[in-house]
């Protein structure tokens, strides 16, 4: 069921991780929260997606959608302020050339080298993490856990079993969010109840299955940051590592796409009972033409100008998506899952436009 008695359409949001590129998701959320025709029933987030999710949940408790938008802006301003005095910045030449990447930043190159020759237990024995300090300062997790407006799911990877762990709203804490964002070459594993966790992107970026039983809405809108398709083989060592990470961080999502598509086909063929199985309607908001050209190093760029640039791209992408696809919510998917995991065109053609042609 997609619509409430007041005519608003319920949706579930799935937010990918991607460091500073999560500011794109901030822009998407800002636009969706602004639209009074929508009600967000649940959010599943990983890494930066988890940070955006808890900011929305806290805002919904204290003041509804408008306060959620304010909470998101405060968080990303905090990220920028925390990075203002960091040595991890673009070089003057990159600033002059309008290049958002940090590939030539001496500190980025040093961190990249350290990650190849030493573990975070060796080069960061005190386990210092400025992001953790920021999260503890800006996010009130008591309010997040008290949010009754929506469900919130945060994914992390169990280091010991290699399986995804999905934390529900009542379990959320700074530790959980930091576990979801724990890149193992930069930070020590985060222990929760004696279990070590790494970034959730390895096994759930983001996890979709929590929506299937717990949500009334059939619609899942994925805010995608990591490109699935990238033409050509990478040549440089950095490009190869970056592409390996993109493939790894999309693999779990593609597996879920395949499973959803399989169940959908069986339902359409009458081989499954519709009373027992749910048909999931999948949608996607992305901006590959803007995000794909950015290098992986830009995910560590916390400059306010860059974050606002991504925010503006996100708002525009969400606005365009709503204009084109809002009417399809509750009716059909607008993302072709089979083509998605087969590496072809992803968007389902608008049947009305196809008929007019």
């Amino acid at each position: 069921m997609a619509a409430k008695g007041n005519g608003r359409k319920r949706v579930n949001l799935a937010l990918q991780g991607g460091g500073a590129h999560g500011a794109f998701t901030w822009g998407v959320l800002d636009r969706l929260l602004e639209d009074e025709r929508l009600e967000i029933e649940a959010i599943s987030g990983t890494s930066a997606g988890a940070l955006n999710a808890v900011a929305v949940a806290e805002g919904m408790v204290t003041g509804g959608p408008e306060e959620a938008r304010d909470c998101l802006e405060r968080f990303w301003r905090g990220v920028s302020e925390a990075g203002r005095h960091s040595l991890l910045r673009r070089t003057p030449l990159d600033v002059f050339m309008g290049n958002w990447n940090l590939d030539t930043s001496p500190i980025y190159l040093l961190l990249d080298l350290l990650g190849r020759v030493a573990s975070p237990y060796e080069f960061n024995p005190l386990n210092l993490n400025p992001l953790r300090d920021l999260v503890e300062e800006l996010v009130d997790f008591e309010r997040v856990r008290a949010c009754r407006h929506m469900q919130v799911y945060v994914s992390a990877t169990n280091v010991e079993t290699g399986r995804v762990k999905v934390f529900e709203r009542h379990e959320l804490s700074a530790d959980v969010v930091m576990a979801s964002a724990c890149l193992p070459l930069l930070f020590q594993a985060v222990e929760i109840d004696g279990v070590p966790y790494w970034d959730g992107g390895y096994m759930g970026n983001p996890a979709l299955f929590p929506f299937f039983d717990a949500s009334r809405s059939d619609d899942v809108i994925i805010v995608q940051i990591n490109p699935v398709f990238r033409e050509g083989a990478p040549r440089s060592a950095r490009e190869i590592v970056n592409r390996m990470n993109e493939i790894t961080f999309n693999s779990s999502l593609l597996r879920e796409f395949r499973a959803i598509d399989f169940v959908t086909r069986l339902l359409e063929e009458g081989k499954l009972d519709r009373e027992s199985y749910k048909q999931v309607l999948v949608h996607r908001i992305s901006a590959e033409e803007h995000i794909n050209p950015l290098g992986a190093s830009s995910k560590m760029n916390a400059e306010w100008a860059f974050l606002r640039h991504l925010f503006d791209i996100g708002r525009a992408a969400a606005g365009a998506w709503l204009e084109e696809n809002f009417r399809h919510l509750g009716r059909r998917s607008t993302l072709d899952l089979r083509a998605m995991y087969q590496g072809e065109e992803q968007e389902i053609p608008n049947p009305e436009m196809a008929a007019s042609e």
Side-chain angles (χ1 to χ4, degrees):
M1 180 173 63
K4 294 185 65 177
N6 57 16
R8 299 173 71 187
K9 292 188 177 182
R10 295 190 183 100
V11 296
N12 301 303
L13 301 182
L15 313 180
Q16 277 199 325
H21 292 186
F24 168 81
T25 303
W26 164 34
V28 171
L29 291 170
D30 188 78
R31 180 63 183 86
L32 297 182
L33 288 163
E34 184 182 71
D35 196 315
E36 296 181 352
R37 299 172 299 171
L38 291 176
E39 177 183 329
I40 301 172
E41 185 175 3
I43 301 180
S44 176
T46 297
S47 195
L51 294 166
N52 280 316
V54 296
V56 170
E58 180 181 357
M60 292 298 290
V61 169
T62 56
E66 282 303 312
E67 181 61 23
R69 296 172 67 196
D70 290 342
C71 280
L72 283 164
E73 180 171 358
R74 283 196 297 272
F75 175 77
W76 286 101
R77 281 190 180 276
V79 169
S80 179
E81 287 295 323
R84 174 172 292 185
H85 303 294
S86 170
L87 297 176
L88 187 62
R89 302 181 65 83
R90 292 184 294 164
T91 64
L93 178 60
D94 285 326
V95 173
F96 177 76
M97 297 296 293
N99 177 20
W100 296 113
N101 298 328
L102 302 178
D103 290 344
T104 59
S105 164
I107 300 301
Y108 177 78
L109 293 173
L110 176 62
L111 288 174
D112 187 48
L113 177 62
L114 281 174
R116 297 171 191 268
V117 299
S119 82
Y121 296 88
E122 297 167 327
F123 69 76
N124 185 11
L126 298 179
N127 201 23
L128 302 177
N129 189 338
L131 180 59
R132 182 187 185 89
D133 298 336
L134 183 67
V135 168
E136 291 179 336
E137 176 186 350
L138 295 180
V139 181
D140 185 333
F141 282 94
E142 288 190 10
R143 289 177 176 173
V144 172
R145 291 188 292 269
C147 179
R148 298 293 180 266
H149 298 80
M150 64 181 68
Q151 294 295 327
V152 182
Y153 307 102
V154 170
S155 298
T157 300
N158 185 318
V159 178
E160 296 175 331
T161 67
R163 296 178 179 177
V164 65
K165 166 65 176 178
V166 177
F167 294 90
E168 299 187 18
R169 185 186 60 213
H170 68 276
E171 301 174 289
L172 298 183
S173 66
D175 280 341
V176 169
V177 172
M178 296 315 301
S180 182
C182 180
L183 293 171
L185 295 181
L186 291 180
F187 304 108
Q188 298 178 23
V190 177
E191 288 200 6
I192 300 174
D193 296 329
V195 178
Y197 292 97
W198 282 340
D199 194 296
Y202 294 108
M203 296 305 297
N205 193 24
L208 305 184
F209 63 85
F211 298 139
F212 301 160
D213 293 325
S215 297
R216 291 165 292 179
S217 172
D218 297 331
D219 292 280
V220 176
I221 301 175
I222 297 161
V223 183
Q224 190 165 15
I225 295 176
N226 297 292
V228 172
F229 177 79
R230 192 181 286 279
E231 187 174 1
R235 299 285 182 171
S236 70
R238 182 175 292 114
E239 289 174 343
I240 291 171
V241 171
N242 292 346
R243 186 55 184 154
M244 287 171 58
N245 287 336
E246 287 175 347
I247 292 171
T248 301
F249 283 174
N250 277 321
S251 61
S252 61
L253 182 63
L254 293 178
R255 285 195 299 271
E256 291 205 77
F257 281 171
R258 187 182 294 272
I260 293 171
D261 179 57
F262 180 66
V263 171
T264 298
R265 279 186 286 161
L266 292 180
L267 286 170
E268 291 174 348
E269 294 169 3
K271 296 179 180 179
L272 290 179
D273 180 9
R274 289 184 177 272
E275 295 297 321
S276 303
Y277 290 87
K278 182 176 185 176
Q279 182 164 359
V280 179
L281 307 179
V282 184
H283 317 274
R284 182 184 65 162
I285 299 176
S286 63
E288 295 97 331
E289 68 276 16
H290 297 289
I291 301 297
N292 288 16
L294 297 172
S297 64
S298 67
K299 294 180 180 181
M300 301 182 74
N301 184 349
E303 295 176 52
W304 182 242
F306 181 50
L307 301 181
R308 283 294 308 190
H309 171 66
L310 292 170
F311 168 85
D312 291 339
I313 293 171
R315 267 194 64 91
W321 187 90
L322 285 168
E323 183 176 354
E324 177 66 25
N325 294 298
F326 176 82
R327 64 187 182 279
H328 300 310
L329 290 173
R331 298 180 178 179
R332 69 174 182 90
S333 292
T334 57
L335 183 64
D336 188 334
L337 298 182
R338 196 171 315 168
M340 188 77 170
Y341 61 72
Q342 291 176 351
E344 302 165 2
E345 292 297 323
Q346 292 94 31
E347 310 303 333
I348 296 178
N350 186 329
E352 298 165 9
M353 293 180 62
S356 66
E357 293 174 357

